[in-house]
Amino acid sequence: MSSHITLRNLILAGLAGEIAFEAYAWLVSPLLFGVALGPANLIVALGNITAGIALPYWAGFIIHFMIGAVGFSTFVWITHLITKANLILSGAIAGFVLWFVAQGVLAPAVGRSFMMGFGAYTQSSFIGHVGMATLMGYVLLKLGSSKALKTA
């Protein structure tokens, strides 16, 4: 189990996961599910509802990307510390939690139905979130095996 991690490694893992998520969201999801994922729309809606701020789409995209690149990879690491599972499994668990928060908590907060009716968007979002966070766990593991992470 990793007890220490560097911000650099969290950011590298987060960037890898977020880039993969966006590629999946825009290129693969439409082919498999008939929908492109647009988490920036959720950020835009949350900004409007919670703070009365009318964010442009590009700002929502950047905010989601930055939260994902640092926050989601940190969440994978915290999941790893709490569960004591390996980093890849911790990524899958964290991805499941992130998916549930996005679809089951935040989407209803902006007026969408719970889990958005479990339709194609929600199913594709599941693959995107779990895949993204699992990749983050994998990258953290690989960085750790090259002595970038110190193990307990």
Side-chain angles (χ1 to χ4, degrees):
M1 178 175 88
S2 302
S3 60
H4 179 266
I5 198 163
T6 65
L7 180 60
R8 174 191 164 271
N9 290 351
L10 287 171
I11 291 171
L12 289 173
L15 287 172
E18 274 298 314
I19 290 168
F21 179 88
E22 293 300 335
Y24 169 81
W26 291 94
L27 303 173
V28 178
S29 179
L31 296 173
L32 295 178
F33 292 94
V35 295
L37 301 178
N41 291 322
L42 181 60
I43 300 298
V44 168
L46 285 168
N48 190 26
I49 290 170
T50 62
I53 299 170
L55 293 172
Y57 181 86
W58 64 266
F61 181 89
I62 290 171
I63 291 168
H64 182 269
F65 193 91
M66 297 307 295
I67 290 169
V70 178
F72 294 174
S73 61
T74 301
F75 186 60
V76 169
W77 179 56
I78 290 169
T79 301
H80 168 67
L81 292 175
I82 291 169
T83 66
K84 302 190 185 351
N86 70 53
L87 282 162
I88 296 171
L89 179 57
S90 296
I93 293 166
F96 178 83
V97 172
L98 291 168
W99 167 74
F100 183 83
V101 168
Q103 301 295 310
V105 178
L106 298 178
V110 300
R112 297 181 181 136
S113 63
F114 176 73
M115 300 304 281
M116 294 177 61
F118 290 97
Y121 191 96
T122 301
Q123 294 169 36
S124 181
S125 176
F126 175 80
I127 292 171
H129 282 89
V130 172
M132 168 192 66
T134 301
L135 176 60
M136 289 175 181
Y138 175 79
V139 172
L140 288 171
L141 178 68
K142 288 302 177 185
L143 292 172
S145 67
S146 65
K147 306 291 185 215
L149 294 176
K150 296 176 184 166
T151 56

